[in-house]
Amino acid sequence: MNALLQSVLDIVHQRSGPLTRELLLEPGEFGLGQVPSKSKPNSTTDMVCGYCATGCSLRVHLQDDVATNLTPATEYPVNLGMACPKGWEALTVLNSPERATTPLLRDEAGRLRPVPWEQAISTFVDRFGQIQAAHGAESVAFLSTGQMPTEEMAFLGALAKFGMGMLHGDGNTRQCMATAVVAYKQAFGFDAPPYTYADFEESDVIVLVGSNLCLTHPIMWERVMRNPHSPEIIVIDPRMTETAMNATQHLALTPKSDQSMFYGIARILIEQGWVNSEYIDQSTTGFDEFAKFVTQFTDERVATESGLSVEQIHRFARTIHEGERVSFWWTMGVNQSHQGVRTAQAIINLALMTGNIGRPGTGANSITGQCNAMGSRLFSNTTNLLGGHDFTNPDHREKIAKVLDIDVSRIPSENSLPYHKIMEGILRGKIKGLWVICTNPAHSWINQKQCRDILERLDFLVVQDMYHSTETAQMADLVLPAAGWGEKEGTFINSERRIGVIKKVRRAPGEALSDFNIFRLVANAWGCGDLFAEWSSPAAVFQILKRCSLGQPCDISGIDGYQQIDAAGGIQWPVTTGRDPVEQERRLFEDGRFYHADGRAKFLFDEPRSLPEQTNERYPFLLLTGRGSASQWHTQTRTKQSAVLRKLYPENLILELNRGDADSLGIRPNESVWIESQRGRIMAKAFPTNAVQRGQVFLPMHEEATNELTFAVFDPYSHQPAYKSCAVGVSRFT
Ligand SMILES: Nc1nc2c(c(=O)[nH]1)N[C@H]1C(S)=C(S)[C@@H](COP(=O)(O)OP(=O)(O)OC[C@H]3O[C@@H](n4cnc5c(=O)[nH]c(N)nc54)[C@H](O)[C@@H]3O)O[C@H]1N2
Ligand SMILES: Nc1nc2c(c(=O)[nH]1)N[C@H]1C(S)=C(S)[C@@H](COP(=O)(O)OP(=O)(O)OC[C@H]3O[C@@H](n4cnc5c(=O)[nH]c(N)nc54)[C@H](O)[C@@H]3O)O[C@H]1N2
Ligand code: SF4
Ligand SMILES: [Mo]
């Protein structure tokens, strides 16, 4: 056995013994490599939250250096002393009998059985090696995440592609942010959300599109509530959400009519002369073509397609015009659509043509979902080469090869297949081994029965997760037990590009290891450990990533390291070498210059397309899906472990449907109902409400069953799944 494996196993085996203070406080084991003073039985340390991309800072209270409790950090510029229920319960969910505490290997009888790490790693490496030997290097792939530290994502992406010879690897960020990424890249020349959270407080008009901010980013919503300018809050959502209830204008449009509606608004702004010609001339290209294109989006057409009244549409346009600082924010109601990219760009176009960008309280602002979706977008080595570089660009490959001191031939010159094409690759028998890290596709991927059927076809499925009970882990051939938030260190990048630190404040249970250490073990066993000699700790990887980012829009080379980030209250990129990085709020494009070669942003547009799956006689309702409560997180592996959180959300799957529809179907409140699509039939409890429009229904994504119904259709540019529209029928349970 090699020395590295032995040293990691020593830690594991020691850990299985009694928990002693000395062991826990091994130098380097505690966050930031610091051992807290032994003379202080009670102390605190701050770190960013591991759920959503708001990136709140939580103050962990330690007794004898063991985490006992937490409270929101009061001085952090993001949350200013606030946290949502998930944050408050972040430590609780780490304790659960469902935690994976040892590797599990499927035996011949088909049962997952505990095995030692040595066997788990050697089996993994043997099986993936055999598959590659028989079917080529591209026959194994990985699916990663937006919820691990940047250093771990980078390690995984580099190990898989430069070390193990994989070409294909994507992440759950595809389900979430791909549309925003492509919209920004095409329009601005780089994936760059321009805002800072202070913009929520500085706007006089806040436009929220397909975002239920109040429930999904509650602390960002608190920032809106702190806005002293009595802002107009315009919520564009087919449903009367918690956020819409607090709006000054709620535009309950027909689902997926946003694109036409925004083009209609653009037309009105142009016709009225309510555009900023100076800004358009100096900072953009393509406006004239766009202006010509939108003339066809007449009041009548927009009203028909969106279901809004002409008055509503004109009032919205006038509000934008009258606002001095207008900010546009969007989330999944835009991204998860068959025409998400062009819809996002229709929003970007409004900001550009009115000059609402680069100034306080403005911007075309995509709100991120997962705690480290931004880290995944720039540093996971999946859709782009480390640091926002391009795999297909030879100069970029040379640069990264030099930074990493590896042979450039190790860097693929092609892009990976996107997530849905990886799934298709499995279906076609081209991909036979899959490594799933920190995501739960058997619950969260679109058209779930097909997804599971595909995963079952794999020769070898490895799932690396904190819990052995996830739907995907249950399908695995090998489960690798991972440490979670609070049990390891690294950095996350939040929605406003702020890098924050997470720390190790408790031991992972049993033999679970940090993802970082698992990657080290795999690298060594694969025989490519030498390539990663410098990748010895998350802090060391942060230094490597700084070098990768040099000269890029997401440059972080000016940051010293974790301690500086911690002391500064997080640091937003870019931080070029020599720039004072500690200003707490920074926005992009203040000089009106963008990242395209000509320095200008582009107006981009397309003819809107009709819904790929139309409602019909058998399936007369349009199904919307999304988040159900502030205390549930995605596939619930974490949040269901807290008794407090469980009390805050419904026990059963709830179908929201319009009261009129419920009456005509004879459905009473809380009655069980069937919901059926062409792909499956599931049961839920009915919740008749006028918050959803007639002909539409809503299901939260947190219950496993929801994605049995969804229809696998994707945006053509971003390949993001369109989770928020498919045709279903609803009937009484008989
Ligand atoms: N509590 C909680 N918070 C979370 C999460 C969680 O699981 N739980 N997940 C995090 C993640 S990863 C993400 S990506 C974000 C998601 O955050 P959000 O995007 O705010 O949440 P969703 O509920 O998915 O979708 C938002 C809204 O889009 C609307 N919508 C559907 N179709 C359309 C349409 O055609 N047009 C418009 N304008 N709106 C439409 C839906 O009615 C819904 O209210 O939340 C993050 N925060
Ligand atoms: N119908 C419908 N489906 C949707 C959506 C929707 O709106 N509607 N939204 C989509 C969106 S935006 C998203 S982001 C996805 C989310 O989909 P997923 O990523 O599949 O959901 P999670 O439950 O967050 O899965 C994360 C997994 O990582 C594990 N984990 C947590 N921390 C760690 C760690 O540090 N290391 C390791 N190895 N494992 C860890 C958790 O236990 C969990 O199993 O769902 C998508 N699916
Ligand atoms: S709002 Fe998001 S980051 Fe803040 S405590 Fe809640 S889940 Fe954590
Ligand atoms: Mo997401």
Side-chain angles (χ1 to χ4, degrees):
M1 194 183 334
N2 68 46
L4 174 71
L5 180 59
Q6 187 58 59
S7 71
V8 175
L9 291 174
D10 283 348
I11 300 178
V12 168
H13 294 146
Q14 272 177 307
R15 279 194 189 153
S16 333
L19 177 92
T20 66
R21 188 164 176 269
E22 280 68 29
L23 214 190
L24 185 67
L25 293 181
E26 266 183 307
E29 272 235 279
F30 198 80
L32 304 184
Q34 293 170 323
V35 180
S37 155
K38 291 194 182 190
S39 61
K40 271 200 330 196
N42 297 310
S43 57
T44 61
T45 189
D46 293 355
M47 67 172 104
V48 290
C49 174
Y51 285 103
C52 89
T54 305
C56 299
S57 180
L58 303 173
R59 178 155 299 160
V60 178
H61 299 249
L62 306 154
Q63 185 150 35
D64 288 331
D65 307 310
V66 178
T68 52
N69 203 349
L70 61 76
T71 50
T74 42
E75 302 86 32
Y76 202 69
V78 168
N79 52 315
L80 315 165
M82 301 175 280
C84 83
K86 296 184 297 302
W88 280 99
E89 283 293 286
L91 286 170
T92 315
V93 304
L94 300 174
N95 300 315
S96 154
E98 294 180 28
R99 282 301 296 270
T101 53
T102 116
L104 301 169
L105 183 65
R106 198 169 293 282
D107 66 14
E108 285 184 357
R111 278 174 307 221
L112 283 170
R113 294 275 187 207
V115 291
W117 268 109
E118 293 88 329
Q119 188 183 345
I121 296 291
S122 64
T123 310
F124 178 15
V125 165
D126 288 349
R127 292 302 307 271
F128 265 38
Q130 286 157 6
I131 293 172
Q132 281 189 326
H135 306 283
E138 294 172 25
S139 59
V140 296
F142 68 97
L143 291 176
S144 129
T145 189
Q147 295 178 53
M148 283 186 329
T150 306
E151 295 79 354
E152 295 187 338
M153 289 177 190
F155 199 166
L156 169 64
L159 166 63
K161 294 196 172 180
F162 311 153
M164 300 168 78
M166 293 187 212
L167 175 59
H168 305 304
D170 201 2
N172 63 8
T173 330
R174 181 75 59 183
Q175 292 160 284
C176 184
M177 301 315 306
T179 290
V181 172
V182 175
Y184 278 143
K185 272 192 182 167
Q186 292 180 346
F188 296 165
F190 196 78
D191 175 18
Y195 58 96
T196 186
Y197 292 156
D199 291 324
F200 282 123
E201 295 170 18
E202 289 171 5
S203 299
D204 53 11
V205 178
I206 296 174
V207 183
L208 293 162
V209 192
S211 157
N212 191 2
L213 199 70
C214 194
L215 184 150
T216 54
H217 298 93
I219 304 307
M220 291 193 206
W221 178 253
E222 291 297 330
R223 300 293 296 264
V224 172
M225 292 294 97
R226 287 164 54 96
N227 183 314
H229 310 292
S230 321
E232 279 283 330
I233 301 175
I234 303 171
V235 171
I236 301 174
D237 194 310
R239 295 190 302 140
M240 171 66 89
T241 59
E242 294 76 356
T243 315
M245 285 174 200
N246 291 290
T248 54
Q249 296 177 40
H250 173 209
L251 304 182
L253 79 183
T254 303
K256 310 301 160 262
S257 66
D258 308 60
Q259 195 181 349
S260 298
M261 195 264 292
F262 291 130
Y263 291 155
I265 298 292
R267 177 194 50 81
I268 297 169
L269 294 172
I270 295 166
E271 275 178 8
Q272 301 291 332
W274 292 343
V275 296
N276 184 334
S277 304
E278 203 182 321
Y279 192 85
I280 294 170
D281 288 346
Q282 285 176 5
S283 296
T284 71
T285 53
F287 178 72
D288 292 344
E289 295 82 346
F290 179 61
K292 211 152 118 204
F293 170 77
V294 296
T295 54
Q296 58 183 303
F297 293 89
T298 59
D299 286 348
E300 297 68 37
R301 175 172 173 185
V302 172
T304 310
E305 290 182 15
S306 69
L308 300 173
S309 68
V310 173
E311 292 70 42
Q312 280 178 301
I313 298 163
H314 276 262
R315 182 174 167 211
F316 177 29
R318 201 176 327 109
T319 310
I320 295 175
H321 168 61
E322 287 170 358
E324 277 172 17
R325 296 171 162 200
V326 185
S327 57
F328 298 87
W329 310 80
W330 82 84
T331 322
M332 291 308 123
V334 172
N335 285 358
Q336 294 172 340
S337 152
H338 68 288
Q339 50 190 8
V341 169
R342 290 294 184 248
T343 305
Q345 288 165 342
I347 298 171
I348 292 173
N349 293 347
L350 291 181
L352 291 175
M353 67 198 285
T354 55
N356 275 301
I357 195 152
R359 292 185 288 116
T362 66
N365 303 332
S366 145
I367 299 171
T368 320
Q370 307 169 77
C371 51
N372 199 19
M374 198 70 229
S376 152
R377 284 153 72 165
L378 296 173
F379 291 104
S380 66
N381 217 32
T382 52
T383 50
N384 53 56
L385 180 58
L386 294 173
H389 290 94
D390 182 353
F391 279 106
T392 64
N393 180 326
D395 296 339
H396 286 186
R397 292 200 301 276
E398 281 293 343
K399 172 180 165 185
I400 297 298
K402 221 159 148 197
V403 169
L404 303 184
D405 193 20
I406 61 172
D407 195 310
V408 69
S409 64
R410 288 196 167 270
I411 302 183
S413 55
E414 278 173 64
N415 285 317
S416 162
L417 290 175
Y419 200 133
H420 70 304
K421 292 284 172 190
I422 292 179
M423 299 302 270
E424 203 180 294
I426 302 170
L427 192 62
R428 292 180 191 283
K430 301 254 184 247
I431 293 173
K432 292 176 176 291
L434 188 68
W435 185 9
V436 174
I437 305 100
C438 196
T439 183
N440 188 10
H443 177 138
S444 63
W445 190 244
I446 200 159
N447 191 2
Q448 189 181 94
K449 275 194 187 141
Q450 190 195 38
C451 168
R452 292 185 182 191
D453 171 54
I454 290 173
L455 294 177
E456 270 164 16
R457 291 164 191 253
L458 287 160
D459 286 356
F460 203 61
L461 172 63
V462 183
V463 174
Q464 186 166 317
D465 204 286
M466 291 169 65
Y467 302 94
H468 59 71
S469 52
T470 77
E471 290 88 351
T472 317
Q474 288 302 306
M475 299 183 69
D477 298 295
L478 176 66
V479 177
L480 300 177
W485 173 92
E487 298 167 344
K488 58 182 178 181
E489 60 185 41
T491 56
F492 291 159
I493 310 180
N494 81 353
S495 212
E496 48 161 5
R497 312 179 318 283
R498 187 181 302 276
I499 302 167
V501 182
I502 66 162
K503 302 174 190 173
K504 177 167 180 172
V505 289
R506 44 171 277 152
R507 274 178 15 185
E511 296 186 4
L513 290 175
S514 68
D515 294 285
F516 195 88
N517 275 335
I518 299 175
F519 301 142
R520 288 176 77 204
L521 289 179
V522 174
N524 260 276
W526 193 269
C528 61
D530 289 353
L531 282 183
F532 299 99
E534 204 193 329
W535 302 57
S536 56
S537 66
V541 172
F542 187 78
Q543 298 303 323
I544 300 173
L545 298 180
K546 278 169 54 178
R547 303 202 307 264
C548 291
S549 75
L550 196 70
Q552 286 290 92
C554 60
D555 195 334
I556 51 168
S557 62
I559 302 176
D560 292 344
Y562 293 172
Q563 302 213 3
Q564 187 193 23
I565 298 171
D566 209 31
I571 302 178
Q572 290 170 294
W573 63 258
V575 192
T576 46
T577 311
R579 176 165 181 170
D580 177 6
V582 286
E583 318 150 62
Q584 283 202 328
E585 302 277 356
R586 283 187 293 125
R587 59 186 64 79
L588 303 177
F589 312 129
E590 279 170 329
D591 59 357
R593 298 280 83 193
F594 293 83
Y595 301 116
H596 284 302
D598 62 2
R600 292 161 179 273
K602 286 189 177 142
F603 282 91
L604 294 157
F605 52 90
D606 253 344
E607 191 59 44
R609 290 179 295 124
S610 52
L611 267 181
E613 188 176 67
Q614 303 274 340
T615 52
N616 51 51
E617 217 170 293
R618 177 146 185 211
Y619 303 120
F621 293 94
L622 195 70
L623 170 64
L624 306 175
T625 67
R627 276 77 194 152
S629 77
S631 44
Q632 284 165 295
W633 181 256
H634 293 165
T635 73
Q636 290 269 59
T637 64
R638 286 195 268 171
T639 41
K640 75 172 178 199
Q641 314 294 348
S642 151
V644 172
L645 296 180
R646 282 200 304 273
K647 278 207 162 58
L648 296 174
Y649 62 77
E651 249 175 80
N652 301 299
L653 178 60
I654 302 287
L655 177 80
E656 291 179 24
L657 80 169
N658 184 274
R659 285 197 192 131
D661 288 330
D663 286 346
S664 48
L665 293 167
I667 292 171
R668 291 183 308 275
N670 214 28
E671 187 179 354
S672 293
V673 288
W674 289 115
I675 310 133
E676 187 180 345
S677 79
Q678 206 150 40
R679 292 146 302 273
R681 185 168 81 148
I682 68 170
M683 218 187 356
K685 297 271 185 200
F687 182 71
T689 165
N690 288 339
V692 291
Q693 299 182 47
R694 286 204 80 146
Q696 296 170 24
V697 293
F698 177 83
L699 283 175
M701 62 161 301
H702 311 296
E703 298 289 335
E704 187 183 340
T706 299
N707 275 320
E708 283 187 39
L709 303 175
T710 48
F711 178 51
V713 66
F714 306 88
D715 176 274
Y717 304 99
S718 70
H719 312 300
Q720 179 157 344
Y723 284 111
K724 290 183 169 24
S725 53
C726 73
V728 296
V730 177
S731 56
R732 298 187 65 190
F733 177 71
T734 45

